[in-house]
Amino acid sequence: MTGGIPRTVAEELDAADPLAEFRKRFVISDPELIYLDGNSLGRLPADTPDLLRAVVEEGWGGGLVRSWEHWIDWGARLGDRLAEHVLGARPGEVVVSDSTSVNLYKLAGAALGAAPGRGTVLIDAEDFPTNRYVMQGLADQRGLRLRRLPSDLDGGLDLDVLRSALDEDVALVVLSLVSYRSGALVDMARVNELARSVGTRVLWDLSHAAGAVPVDLAADGADLAVGCTYKYLNGGPGSPAFLYVRRALQSRLRQPVWGWFGQREQFRMGPDYDPVPGIERFLVSTPPLLSLAAIEPALALVEEAGVARIRAKELRLGRLADDLADAWLTPLGFRPASPRPPERRGAHLSLRHPDAWRICRTLAADAKVVCDYRVPDRLRIGPSPLYTRFTEVWDALSRIREVAAEGTYASRPADLARVT
């Protein structure tokens, strides 16, 4: 099926793409597969296997415990690189450790402990489930009121709703910069300003932003943030997360998980916990070195490309996807489920369809298009600019149209029990 925007337009965009060569630096095991799920798990950088092999064979196999001299501060070194090239933070304000959820718990616990007398926590009612669950648990443990702010599934949180909920009883606000479902992008600087006006802090989840959307934590007045490294940063399945704490706050916050990696004079094995004054006080224990190592070559690609250039291509990919969806998919029952234009969202977009789950499964099984599904009825499409071609977006939307028009998806079961 043809019509609408001709494929030659996408071909011309590929030919003029300044990031086109980066695709060759990822493992593309099946050139016919269109992978549009980089918002869940990024592709494997081509340099990662050799580095991991060296760490295993030379560092672990040959160096044994002697290699700790080179390994022990790897999380801080990677944190400084993330700070400089991805997050707009200063040296000593970011460290790589644990998972996003654990880091969220640590920083939220520290922030709540530093806000005595305040009894309310604000969250987005449509935020990623783990964020809501972690804050529900902390609020329950501490006897705090958890207030869920109503949020539009597609448009995200209205700042007027947040403004009306902010008062001097609010101990902490927890928000995602980019909505996991729709991609809706929040104005970080404005939210931080609103929070400061009542003397509270915001803890940001940057999981769907880091490596895709320009972030400037220092300029935007951010106090606290966490995020993962396996989406647009391509660090691999379950790669360690990062956390950010503004330097002026570090010595004033004490996180709830006291471990020896946050201890002053760590190897003296002192009897009592005495945290270091810097960002390392938010560490807990021995890092997972092999998965930590995989971040190194992946981050190098993002540094070389630059987040500004990544974002520029991302916006062009998004506009192409929007235009094709309007021309091809709207007549077949799809509706936009993300903010327009793409400047108002992160790197991914969602389309609403009553049979989105069946269509998603059919695309993966029969059409060699990998995207994903989010409840209640959203087909989520996540082109990652470092390795996604414009022609892939064109071909994917064409295949989605064919699957929807032919109706073959209708024979697939609608069981969502194994959705990941």
Side-chain angles (χ1 to χ4, degrees), residues 8-23:
T8 53
V9 171
E11 293 170 355
E12 291 167 0
L13 288 169
D14 280 334
D17 177 15
L19 300 183
E21 292 300 309
F22 280 89
R23 179 180 171 88

mmCIF file with all atom_site columns, all heavy atoms in Angstrom, residues 8-23:
data_model
loop_
_atom_site.group_PDB
_atom_site.id
_atom_site.type_symbol
_atom_site.label_atom_id
_atom_site.label_alt_id
_atom_site.label_comp_id
_atom_site.label_asym_id
_atom_site.label_entity_id
_atom_site.label_seq_id
_atom_site.pdbx_PDB_ins_code
_atom_site.Cartn_x
_atom_site.Cartn_y
_atom_site.Cartn_z
_atom_site.occupancy
_atom_site.B_iso_or_equiv
_atom_site.pdbx_formal_charge
_atom_site.auth_seq_id
_atom_site.auth_comp_id
_atom_site.auth_asym_id
_atom_site.auth_atom_id
_atom_site.pdbx_PDB_model_num
ATOM 1   N N   . THR A 1 8  ? 10.566 8.144  -0.892 1.00 0.00 ? 8  THR A N   1
ATOM 2   C CA  . THR A 1 8  ? 11.750 8.905  -1.299 1.00 0.00 ? 8  THR A CA  1
ATOM 3   C C   . THR A 1 8  ? 12.056 10.054 -0.339 1.00 0.00 ? 8  THR A C   1
ATOM 4   O O   . THR A 1 8  ? 13.211 10.463 -0.188 1.00 0.00 ? 8  THR A O   1
ATOM 5   C CB  . THR A 1 8  ? 11.567 9.457  -2.725 1.00 0.00 ? 8  THR A CB  1
ATOM 6   O OG1 . THR A 1 8  ? 10.323 10.192 -2.794 1.00 0.00 ? 8  THR A OG1 1
ATOM 7   C CG2 . THR A 1 8  ? 11.552 8.333  -3.750 1.00 0.00 ? 8  THR A CG2 1
ATOM 8   N N   . VAL A 1 9  ? 11.025 10.579 0.305  1.00 0.00 ? 9  VAL A N   1
ATOM 9   C CA  . VAL A 1 9  ? 11.258 11.631 1.301  1.00 0.00 ? 9  VAL A CA  1
ATOM 10  C C   . VAL A 1 9  ? 12.099 11.086 2.448  1.00 0.00 ? 9  VAL A C   1
ATOM 11  O O   . VAL A 1 9  ? 13.055 11.729 2.911  1.00 0.00 ? 9  VAL A O   1
ATOM 12  C CB  . VAL A 1 9  ? 9.917  12.192 1.823  1.00 0.00 ? 9  VAL A CB  1
ATOM 13  C CG1 . VAL A 1 9  ? 10.143 13.127 3.010  1.00 0.00 ? 9  VAL A CG1 1
ATOM 14  C CG2 . VAL A 1 9  ? 9.176  12.915 0.712  1.00 0.00 ? 9  VAL A CG2 1
ATOM 15  N N   . ALA A 1 10 ? 11.753 9.899  2.941  1.00 0.00 ? 10 ALA A N   1
ATOM 16  C CA  . ALA A 1 10 ? 12.532 9.275  4.012  1.00 0.00 ? 10 ALA A CA  1
ATOM 17  C C   . ALA A 1 10 ? 13.939 8.944  3.537  1.00 0.00 ? 10 ALA A C   1
ATOM 18  O O   . ALA A 1 10 ? 14.915 9.079  4.288  1.00 0.00 ? 10 ALA A O   1
ATOM 19  C CB  . ALA A 1 10 ? 11.821 8.012  4.501  1.00 0.00 ? 10 ALA A CB  1
ATOM 20  N N   . GLU A 1 11 ? 14.070 8.497  2.293  1.00 0.00 ? 11 GLU A N   1
ATOM 21  C CA  . GLU A 1 11 ? 15.393 8.197  1.743  1.00 0.00 ? 11 GLU A CA  1
ATOM 22  C C   . GLU A 1 11 ? 16.265 9.443  1.700  1.00 0.00 ? 11 GLU A C   1
ATOM 23  O O   . GLU A 1 11 ? 17.462 9.396  1.999  1.00 0.00 ? 11 GLU A O   1
ATOM 24  C CB  . GLU A 1 11 ? 15.237 7.597  0.345  1.00 0.00 ? 11 GLU A CB  1
ATOM 25  C CG  . GLU A 1 11 ? 14.583 6.218  0.339  1.00 0.00 ? 11 GLU A CG  1
ATOM 26  C CD  . GLU A 1 11 ? 14.211 5.755  -1.054 1.00 0.00 ? 11 GLU A CD  1
ATOM 27  O OE1 . GLU A 1 11 ? 14.377 6.547  -2.015 1.00 0.00 ? 11 GLU A OE1 1
ATOM 28  O OE2 . GLU A 1 11 ? 13.734 4.609  -1.197 1.00 0.00 ? 11 GLU A OE2 1
ATOM 29  N N   . GLU A 1 12 ? 15.673 10.564 1.328  1.00 0.00 ? 12 GLU A N   1
ATOM 30  C CA  . GLU A 1 12 ? 16.424 11.818 1.290  1.00 0.00 ? 12 GLU A CA  1
ATOM 31  C C   . GLU A 1 12 ? 16.845 12.254 2.692  1.00 0.00 ? 12 GLU A C   1
ATOM 32  O O   . GLU A 1 12 ? 17.950 12.769 2.896  1.00 0.00 ? 12 GLU A O   1
ATOM 33  C CB  . GLU A 1 12 ? 15.571 12.898 0.626  1.00 0.00 ? 12 GLU A CB  1
ATOM 34  C CG  . GLU A 1 12 ? 15.355 12.668 -0.865 1.00 0.00 ? 12 GLU A CG  1
ATOM 35  C CD  . GLU A 1 12 ? 14.267 13.566 -1.432 1.00 0.00 ? 12 GLU A CD  1
ATOM 36  O OE1 . GLU A 1 12 ? 13.690 14.366 -0.657 1.00 0.00 ? 12 GLU A OE1 1
ATOM 37  O OE2 . GLU A 1 12 ? 13.986 13.472 -2.644 1.00 0.00 ? 12 GLU A OE2 1
ATOM 38  N N   . LEU A 1 13 ? 15.974 12.050 3.660  1.00 0.00 ? 13 LEU A N   1
ATOM 39  C CA  . LEU A 1 13 ? 16.328 12.376 5.045  1.00 0.00 ? 13 LEU A CA  1
ATOM 40  C C   . LEU A 1 13 ? 17.477 11.510 5.539  1.00 0.00 ? 13 LEU A C   1
ATOM 41  O O   . LEU A 1 13 ? 18.378 11.986 6.240  1.00 0.00 ? 13 LEU A O   1
ATOM 42  C CB  . LEU A 1 13 ? 15.103 12.211 5.947  1.00 0.00 ? 13 LEU A CB  1
ATOM 43  C CG  . LEU A 1 13 ? 14.011 13.267 5.800  1.00 0.00 ? 13 LEU A CG  1
ATOM 44  C CD1 . LEU A 1 13 ? 12.750 12.843 6.539  1.00 0.00 ? 13 LEU A CD1 1
ATOM 45  C CD2 . LEU A 1 13 ? 14.490 14.618 6.315  1.00 0.00 ? 13 LEU A CD2 1
ATOM 46  N N   . ASP A 1 14 ? 17.470 10.233 5.186  1.00 0.00 ? 14 ASP A N   1
ATOM 47  C CA  . ASP A 1 14 ? 18.577 9.351  5.551  1.00 0.00 ? 14 ASP A CA  1
ATOM 48  C C   . ASP A 1 14 ? 19.880 9.808  4.907  1.00 0.00 ? 14 ASP A C   1
ATOM 49  O O   . ASP A 1 14 ? 20.947 9.799  5.537  1.00 0.00 ? 14 ASP A O   1
ATOM 50  C CB  . ASP A 1 14 ? 18.276 7.910  5.128  1.00 0.00 ? 14 ASP A CB  1
ATOM 51  C CG  . ASP A 1 14 ? 17.361 7.186  6.100  1.00 0.00 ? 14 ASP A CG  1
ATOM 52  O OD1 . ASP A 1 14 ? 17.349 7.560  7.287  1.00 0.00 ? 14 ASP A OD1 1
ATOM 53  O OD2 . ASP A 1 14 ? 16.658 6.250  5.665  1.00 0.00 ? 14 ASP A OD2 1
ATOM 54  N N   . ALA A 1 15 ? 19.808 10.200 3.642  1.00 0.00 ? 15 ALA A N   1
ATOM 55  C CA  . ALA A 1 15 ? 21.017 10.611 2.922  1.00 0.00 ? 15 ALA A CA  1
ATOM 56  C C   . ALA A 1 15 ? 21.633 11.873 3.535  1.00 0.00 ? 15 ALA A C   1
ATOM 57  O O   . ALA A 1 15 ? 22.854 12.060 3.485  1.00 0.00 ? 15 ALA A O   1
ATOM 58  C CB  . ALA A 1 15 ? 20.677 10.845 1.451  1.00 0.00 ? 15 ALA A CB  1
ATOM 59  N N   . ALA A 1 16 ? 20.796 12.727 4.111  1.00 0.00 ? 16 ALA A N   1
ATOM 60  C CA  . ALA A 1 16 ? 21.282 13.975 4.689  1.00 0.00 ? 16 ALA A CA  1
ATOM 61  C C   . ALA A 1 16 ? 21.515 13.887 6.197  1.00 0.00 ? 16 ALA A C   1
ATOM 62  O O   . ALA A 1 16 ? 21.893 14.884 6.823  1.00 0.00 ? 16 ALA A O   1
ATOM 63  C CB  . ALA A 1 16 ? 20.279 15.093 4.394  1.00 0.00 ? 16 ALA A CB  1
ATOM 64  N N   . ASP A 1 17 ? 21.323 12.725 6.775  1.00 0.00 ? 17 ASP A N   1
ATOM 65  C CA  . ASP A 1 17 ? 21.380 12.554 8.227  1.00 0.00 ? 17 ASP A CA  1
ATOM 66  C C   . ASP A 1 17 ? 22.821 12.614 8.738  1.00 0.00 ? 17 ASP A C   1
ATOM 67  O O   . ASP A 1 17 ? 23.634 11.734 8.418  1.00 0.00 ? 17 ASP A O   1
ATOM 68  C CB  . ASP A 1 17 ? 20.743 11.202 8.599  1.00 0.00 ? 17 ASP A CB  1
ATOM 69  C CG  . ASP A 1 17 ? 20.816 10.910 10.079 1.00 0.00 ? 17 ASP A CG  1
ATOM 70  O OD1 . ASP A 1 17 ? 21.081 11.839 10.868 1.00 0.00 ? 17 ASP A OD1 1
ATOM 71  O OD2 . ASP A 1 17 ? 20.609 9.738  10.457 1.00 0.00 ? 17 ASP A OD2 1
ATOM 72  N N   . PRO A 1 18 ? 23.194 13.604 9.552  1.00 0.00 ? 18 PRO A N   1
ATOM 73  C CA  . PRO A 1 18 ? 24.563 13.688 10.068 1.00 0.00 ? 18 PRO A CA  1
ATOM 74  C C   . PRO A 1 18 ? 24.911 12.589 11.075 1.00 0.00 ? 18 PRO A C   1
ATOM 75  O O   . PRO A 1 18 ? 26.087 12.381 11.375 1.00 0.00 ? 18 PRO A O   1
ATOM 76  C CB  . PRO A 1 18 ? 24.606 15.073 10.729 1.00 0.00 ? 18 PRO A CB  1
ATOM 77  C CG  . PRO A 1 18 ? 23.190 15.383 11.070 1.00 0.00 ? 18 PRO A CG  1
ATOM 78  C CD  . PRO A 1 18 ? 22.358 14.745 9.992  1.00 0.00 ? 18 PRO A CD  1
ATOM 79  N N   . LEU A 1 19 ? 23.906 11.872 11.573 1.00 0.00 ? 19 LEU A N   1
ATOM 80  C CA  . LEU A 1 19 ? 24.154 10.788 12.528 1.00 0.00 ? 19 LEU A CA  1
ATOM 81  C C   . LEU A 1 19 ? 24.065 9.411  11.878 1.00 0.00 ? 19 LEU A C   1
ATOM 82  O O   . LEU A 1 19 ? 24.149 8.395  12.571 1.00 0.00 ? 19 LEU A O   1
ATOM 83  C CB  . LEU A 1 19 ? 23.148 10.860 13.685 1.00 0.00 ? 19 LEU A CB  1
ATOM 84  C CG  . LEU A 1 19 ? 23.147 12.135 14.522 1.00 0.00 ? 19 LEU A CG  1
ATOM 85  C CD1 . LEU A 1 19 ? 22.150 12.013 15.673 1.00 0.00 ? 19 LEU A CD1 1
ATOM 86  C CD2 . LEU A 1 19 ? 24.532 12.456 15.063 1.00 0.00 ? 19 LEU A CD2 1
ATOM 87  N N   . ALA A 1 20 ? 23.934 9.357  10.574 1.00 0.00 ? 20 ALA A N   1
ATOM 88  C CA  . ALA A 1 20 ? 23.702 8.078  9.889  1.00 0.00 ? 20 ALA A CA  1
ATOM 89  C C   . ALA A 1 20 ? 24.792 7.057  10.159 1.00 0.00 ? 20 ALA A C   1
ATOM 90  O O   . ALA A 1 20 ? 24.514 5.858  10.285 1.00 0.00 ? 20 ALA A O   1
ATOM 91  C CB  . ALA A 1 20 ? 23.563 8.321  8.380  1.00 0.00 ? 20 ALA A CB  1
ATOM 92  N N   . GLU A 1 21 ? 26.044 7.494  10.256 1.00 0.00 ? 21 GLU A N   1
ATOM 93  C CA  . GLU A 1 21 ? 27.150 6.559  10.426 1.00 0.00 ? 21 GLU A CA  1
ATOM 94  C C   . GLU A 1 21 ? 27.135 5.856  11.783 1.00 0.00 ? 21 GLU A C   1
ATOM 95  O O   . GLU A 1 21 ? 27.763 4.810  11.945 1.00 0.00 ? 21 GLU A O   1
ATOM 96  C CB  . GLU A 1 21 ? 28.483 7.283  10.231 1.00 0.00 ? 21 GLU A CB  1
ATOM 97  C CG  . GLU A 1 21 ? 28.733 7.741  8.796  1.00 0.00 ? 21 GLU A CG  1
ATOM 98  C CD  . GLU A 1 21 ? 28.754 6.567  7.824  1.00 0.00 ? 21 GLU A CD  1
ATOM 99  O OE1 . GLU A 1 21 ? 29.493 5.593  8.090  1.00 0.00 ? 21 GLU A OE1 1
ATOM 100 O OE2 . GLU A 1 21 ? 28.021 6.609  6.827  1.00 0.00 ? 21 GLU A OE2 1
ATOM 101 N N   . PHE A 1 22 ? 26.428 6.410  12.748 1.00 0.00 ? 22 PHE A N   1
ATOM 102 C CA  . PHE A 1 22 ? 26.402 5.784  14.074 1.00 0.00 ? 22 PHE A CA  1
ATOM 103 C C   . PHE A 1 22 ? 25.690 4.432  14.042 1.00 0.00 ? 22 PHE A C   1
ATOM 104 O O   . PHE A 1 22 ? 25.973 3.566  14.879 1.00 0.00 ? 22 PHE A O   1
ATOM 105 C CB  . PHE A 1 22 ? 25.734 6.714  15.095 1.00 0.00 ? 22 PHE A CB  1
ATOM 106 C CG  . PHE A 1 22 ? 26.645 7.794  15.604 1.00 0.00 ? 22 PHE A CG  1
ATOM 107 C CD1 . PHE A 1 22 ? 26.733 9.012  14.953 1.00 0.00 ? 22 PHE A CD1 1
ATOM 108 C CD2 . PHE A 1 22 ? 27.439 7.578  16.722 1.00 0.00 ? 22 PHE A CD2 1
ATOM 109 C CE1 . PHE A 1 22 ? 27.584 10.010 15.415 1.00 0.00 ? 22 PHE A CE1 1
ATOM 110 C CE2 . PHE A 1 22 ? 28.302 8.559  17.188 1.00 0.00 ? 22 PHE A CE2 1
ATOM 111 C CZ  . PHE A 1 22 ? 28.373 9.781  16.536 1.00 0.00 ? 22 PHE A CZ  1
ATOM 112 N N   . ARG A 1 23 ? 24.787 4.227  13.118 1.00 0.00 ? 23 ARG A N   1
ATOM 113 C CA  . ARG A 1 23 ? 24.088 2.942  13.029 1.00 0.00 ? 23 ARG A CA  1
ATOM 114 C C   . ARG A 1 23 ? 25.073 1.793  12.863 1.00 0.00 ? 23 ARG A C   1
ATOM 115 O O   . ARG A 1 23 ? 24.863 0.697  13.402 1.00 0.00 ? 23 ARG A O   1
ATOM 116 C CB  . ARG A 1 23 ? 23.086 2.976  11.866 1.00 0.00 ? 23 ARG A CB  1
ATOM 117 C CG  . ARG A 1 23 ? 22.328 1.659  11.673 1.00 0.00 ? 23 ARG A CG  1
ATOM 118 C CD  . ARG A 1 23 ? 21.352 1.758  10.511 1.00 0.00 ? 23 ARG A CD  1
ATOM 119 N NE  . ARG A 1 23 ? 20.768 0.467  10.173 1.00 0.00 ? 23 ARG A NE  1
ATOM 120 C CZ  . ARG A 1 23 ? 19.678 -0.038 10.715 1.00 0.00 ? 23 ARG A CZ  1
ATOM 121 N NH1 . ARG A 1 23 ? 19.045 0.643  11.661 1.00 0.00 ? 23 ARG A NH1 1
ATOM 122 N NH2 . ARG A 1 23 ? 19.207 -1.210 10.335 1.00 0.00 ? 23 ARG A NH2 1
#
